[in-house]
């Protein structure tokens, strides 16, 4: 059975939803704290005096998040690794015999799972301080902006607070930058990191099993809606590990002893992955390549599904649905909440139109904000 990052996508969603809950809880805590007594002439002084109470409330959110996320990450990594192992065992069951198959089935997994889980816990844990800082920063910013608004004669204190909170709800907790320099908000960053780590766990488990069975070559699938980074590797044979670089190699036929055949190898799997293959949203898979037996993918079949660009448009619409749901959560009055909910419905309508036109599957979980703690 081929392996791909997509086989762990649902596991990543279970992790990111915890951070989505924390972000939503933060927005609601800050909004509630600021709304209380906003019409009092002493509002600004009272709010500044109560900053310690808000900090304690945010720290409670973070503590609960740490406890839940650590356990969820460990469980998700173990499951992703197991899925990768099982995919390899299913493939090997059809081709490996005797010692090779026994070695593949007996490979220990605990050290690899612990290492991968620890790395993801560390990466996501680094976001927790930013949650605290963002909550306190927006709280102080709203007090400063809304307290000065009546003096300027431009808008009421409540309107100033609503405007600042709407900006915060639109973006969420921000300030996360990946290795390529792209900026993310909290939930999107954690989802990206989790999908990357869990997809890596599944692929690593698969290749570990193949190594134990002495399988050295793999082949990349053809896939719909491929991105430019991955298209280069479609249908190519790769070394499971080892040296990079393309070339022809002489290998023994998979089923005929002492018969050597020439195979064109496009590089190594680590090289292809470093170039972008099997990124978190990648639809490609890799599977065992048996010299002289495995045939490459035929001509790409005609599909009614969308282009890569249209699949990314769907992702954009999903982000907008979540954005306006956050704004509804941070609204201080019914009118703003109704406006935000109308935006939610409008973007959901655009998603319905897109999936109807292209055949792309709708993913309702990517449009959801779960209830706050």
């Amino acid at each position: 059975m081929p392996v791909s990052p997509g086989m762990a996508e649902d596991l990543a969603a279970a992790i990111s939803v915890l951070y989505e809950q924390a972000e939503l809880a933060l927005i609601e805590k800050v909004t509630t704290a600021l709304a209380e007594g906003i019409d009092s002439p002493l509002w600004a002084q009272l709010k500044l005096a109560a900053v310690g109470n808000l900090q304690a409330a945010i720290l409670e959110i973070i503590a609960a998040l740490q406890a839940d996320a650590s356990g969820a990450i460990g469980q998700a990594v173990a499951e992703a690794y197991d899925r990768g192992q099982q995919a390899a065992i299913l493939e090997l069951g059809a081709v490996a015999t005797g010692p090779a198959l026994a070695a593949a089935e007996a490979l220990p997994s605990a050290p690899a799972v612990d290492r991968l889980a620890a790395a993801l816990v560390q990466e996501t844990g680094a976001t927790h301080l930013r949650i605290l800082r963002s909550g306190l920063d927006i709280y102080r910013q709203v007090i400063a902006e809304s307290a000065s608004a009546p003096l300027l004669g431009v808008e009421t204190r409540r309107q100033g607070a609503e405007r600042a909170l709407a900006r915060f709800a639109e973006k969420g907790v921000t300030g996360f930058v990946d290795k390529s320099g792209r900026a993310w908000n909290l939930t999107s960053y954690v989802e990206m990191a989790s999908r990357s780590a869990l997809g890596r766990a599944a692929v690593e488990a698969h290749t570990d099993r193949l190594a134990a069975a002495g399988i050295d070559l793999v082949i990349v699938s053809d896939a719909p809606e491929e991105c430019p980074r991955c298209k280069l590797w479609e249908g190519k044979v790769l070394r499971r590990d080892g040296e990079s670089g393309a070339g022809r190699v002489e290998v023994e036929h998979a089923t005929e002893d002492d018969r050597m055949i020439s195979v064109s190898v496009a590089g190594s799997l680590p090289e292809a992955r470093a170039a972008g293959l099997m990124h978190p949203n990648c639809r490609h898979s890799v599977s065992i390549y048996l010299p002289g037996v495995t045939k490459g993918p035929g001509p790409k079949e005609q599909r009614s599904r969308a282009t890569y660009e249209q699949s990314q448009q769907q992702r954009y619409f999903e982000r907008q649905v979540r954005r306006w749901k956050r704004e509804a959560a941070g609204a201080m009055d019914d009118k703003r909440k109704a406006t935000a909910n109308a935006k939610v419905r409008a973007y959901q309508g655009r998603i319905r139109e897109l999936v109807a036109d292209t055949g792309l599957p709708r993913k309702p979980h990517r449009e959801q904000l779960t209830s706050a703690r």
Side-chain angles (χ1 to χ4, degrees):
M1 176 181 176
V3 67
S4 75
M7 66 170 45
E9 182 176 337
D10 61 317
L11 302 175
I15 297 172
S16 65
V17 75
L18 297 175
Y19 285 81
E20 188 176 70
Q21 287 176 336
E23 187 174 49
L24 185 58
L26 175 66
I27 294 170
E28 292 180 342
K29 288 285 186 184
V30 172
T31 301
T32 300
L34 289 168
E36 185 178 3
I38 197 169
D39 296 321
S40 168
L42 299 177
W43 175 81
Q45 297 92 315
L46 293 172
K47 295 298 106 175
L48 288 173
V51 68
N53 294 335
L54 178 64
Q55 178 172 324
I58 297 173
L59 288 173
E60 287 183 4
I61 294 172
I62 294 172
L65 175 63
Q66 287 176 325
D68 292 347
S70 294
I73 286 172
Q75 182 176 353
V77 171
E79 176 63 23
Y81 198 89
D82 184 63
R83 290 180 185 181
Q85 291 184 125
Q86 295 304 315
I89 290 171
L90 286 173
E91 283 195 288
L92 289 167
V95 299
T97 58
L101 183 57
E105 291 179 343
L107 189 67
S109 61
V113 169
D114 290 345
R115 169 176 52 81
L116 292 165
L120 184 54
V121 167
Q122 182 177 13
E123 185 170 4
T124 55
T127 67
H128 297 170
L129 179 60
R130 185 68 184 170
I131 295 172
L132 175 62
R133 290 180 57 184
S134 293
L136 295 179
D137 286 350
I138 189 62
Y139 181 80
R140 294 189 177 100
Q141 178 187 338
V142 169
I143 294 171
E145 289 188 11
S146 58
S148 64
L151 299 178
L152 298 175
V154 177
E155 54 190 342
T156 67
R157 178 188 300 153
R158 183 180 293 274
Q159 289 170 329
E162 288 173 341
R163 185 179 65 181
L165 284 169
R167 290 198 303 267
F168 178 54
E170 175 185 350
K171 297 180 180 179
V173 179
T174 59
F176 307 102
V177 180
D178 62 21
K179 294 178 182 178
S180 66
R182 182 180 176 184
W184 302 78
N185 75 351
L186 172 66
T187 303
S188 297
Y189 178 80
V190 169
E191 183 182 18
M192 178 275 296
S194 298
R195 292 179 70 169
S196 180
L198 296 174
R200 185 165 58 248
V203 173
E204 185 172 316
H206 185 267
T207 54
D208 285 349
R209 293 283 174 171
L210 300 191
I215 302 295
D216 294 324
L217 299 178
V218 296
I219 186 169
V220 182
S221 70
D222 191 358
E225 302 141 35
E226 72 274 46
C227 73
R229 289 184 297 170
C230 302
K231 188 172 183 178
L232 174 67
W233 303 100
E234 284 191 333
K236 299 299 177 60
V237 177
L238 302 172
R239 301 179 187 88
R240 173 186 48 76
D241 200 359
E243 297 179 0
S244 300
R248 299 198 72 86
V249 297
E250 294 292 320
V251 294
E252 187 175 24
H253 194 283
T255 60
E256 300 179 23
D257 293 341
D258 300 325
R259 177 185 170 189
M260 303 300 291
I261 62 173
S262 179
V263 176
S264 177
V265 176
S268 70
L269 182 57
E271 176 188 12
R273 293 179 66 187
L277 180 67
M278 312 204 86
H279 55 80
N281 294 323
C282 186
R283 300 180 183 277
H284 292 87
S285 62
V286 295
S287 55
I288 292 174
Y289 179 80
L290 300 175
V293 176
T294 302
K295 298 185 182 300
K300 189 185 291 288
E301 60 184 89
Q302 295 298 314
R303 300 178 176 89
S304 60
R305 286 181 55 159
T307 63
Y308 173 74
E309 289 73 20
Q310 288 172 318
S311 71
Q312 295 307 294
Q313 185 179 36
Q314 181 182 7
R315 299 292 298 277
Y316 170 76
F317 291 158
E318 291 164 350
R319 289 194 297 270
Q320 292 304 305
V321 169
R322 298 198 302 269
R323 165 200 164 178
W324 288 104
K325 285 185 176 182
R326 286 197 302 269
E327 291 219 14
M332 297 181 74
D333 62 43
D334 292 341
K335 182 178 179 180
R336 284 184 175 269
K337 187 179 289 291
T339 299
N341 285 330
K343 289 284 189 178
V344 170
R345 291 190 295 273
Y347 276 106
Q348 287 176 330
R350 296 177 74 175
I351 292 173
R352 287 193 295 271
E353 291 175 359
L354 181 64
V355 299
D357 291 342
T358 63
L360 283 168
R362 188 171 182 180
K363 299 181 178 180
H365 70 276
R366 297 193 53 79
E367 304 168 30
Q368 299 302 315
L369 284 182
T370 54
S371 300
R373 297 172 189 275

